[in-house]
Amino acid sequence: MTRSTVSGATAISRSRRSRVLGRLVFLGPGLTYLIVLLLIPLVLVLSYAFFRRGRFGGVIYELTGENFTRLVDPLYLDVVLGSLKLATAATLIALLFGYPTAYLIARLPAKWKTIALIAIVLPFWTNFLIRIYAWIVLLSGPGLVNTLLGKLGLGPFEFLYNDGAIVTGLIYSYLPLMVLPLYAAIEKLDPQLREASANLGAKPARTFVSVTLPLTLPGVITGCMFVFVPSFGNFVIPELLGGGRSIMVGNLIRDQFLTARDWPFGATLAMALIAVLIVLLLLQAWSARRA
């Protein structure tokens, strides 16, 4: 091997090390954040799922699988099914309101689109708890809604502390997450396709079912996932608007950690919830690739 060949190989090696070092410098803060605040807590919670609960709380480090068998207990399955029902209802109603809203925004002139999109995300500029407490003020017995209904000779009605109040809170909180991906999907739709459908004699309803809806289906699926996932694990809205009468999975996990002090079973529930959400996100990614 000649001296020039050795010198060239050394230069290539130094160049590779420089590139790797440069990538580590840029990726280091993000990787550190993910490892410290996501990966390590996740591994810790997963490990607790395989241990026993102490008599007075805490963790006994003896391996067991009984936490996983408790998952199929009818008591906890009812909570899961109840959470599925409320999250599904919130998702479907959000889709029902979100699709026409996104469609109208996409057809607005450019300057009005910006104003409409700002109006959609405007609630996120206010603290989440403040917005939920505002609903309590509106829907309470002497609140604004019952006052207006009273002037019309109606009511008063019990709007708070039931499943309807929970679904209302979930829809209000996550409706922007439905509208934005739907708007992006509708905005990308080529208007010539709708014109071609109309020129071929299709009525607006047929054009929507055969052209618009199939081509915007990835946005529909993404919006549904964005609403369903946080709704399924939410525990603040059921506590405040539901008055604790309806327990969702998020409430159950919180109670296991803070009230029952059964950390192993709480960790098992949390991991089961994460597994379900990962499966749903994988299905959403798979459907987006096929679209």
Side-chain angles (χ1 to χ4, degrees), residues 140-221:
S140 63
L144 179 63
V145 176
N146 268 321
T147 302
L148 293 176
L149 290 175
K151 291 181 178 179
L152 297 174
L154 303 173
F157 297 100
E158 189 63 47
F159 291 114
L160 281 177
Y161 311 132
N162 50 47
D163 288 351
I166 296 174
V167 172
T168 301
L170 293 174
I171 294 169
Y172 169 75
S173 299
Y174 302 123
L175 184 61
L177 301 180
M178 175 68 79
V179 173
L180 294 179
L182 283 171
Y183 165 78
I186 296 171
E187 182 70 11
K188 288 192 305 184
L189 188 62
D190 188 349
Q192 292 183 348
L193 296 174
R194 290 196 295 265
E195 293 175 6
S197 176
N199 291 336
L200 292 173
K203 294 183 178 179
R206 177 65 182 275
T207 299
F208 175 78
V209 173
S210 302
V211 178
T212 305
L213 185 59
L215 292 177
T216 57
L217 201 56
V220 173
I221 296 173

Side-chain angles (χ1 to χ4, degrees), residues 114 117-128 130-131 172:
T114 305
L117 290 173
I118 291 175
I120 290 294
V121 300
L122 197 60
F124 283 112
W125 297 0
T126 308
N127 184 276
F128 178 78
I130 292 176
R131 285 183 280 140
Y172 169 75

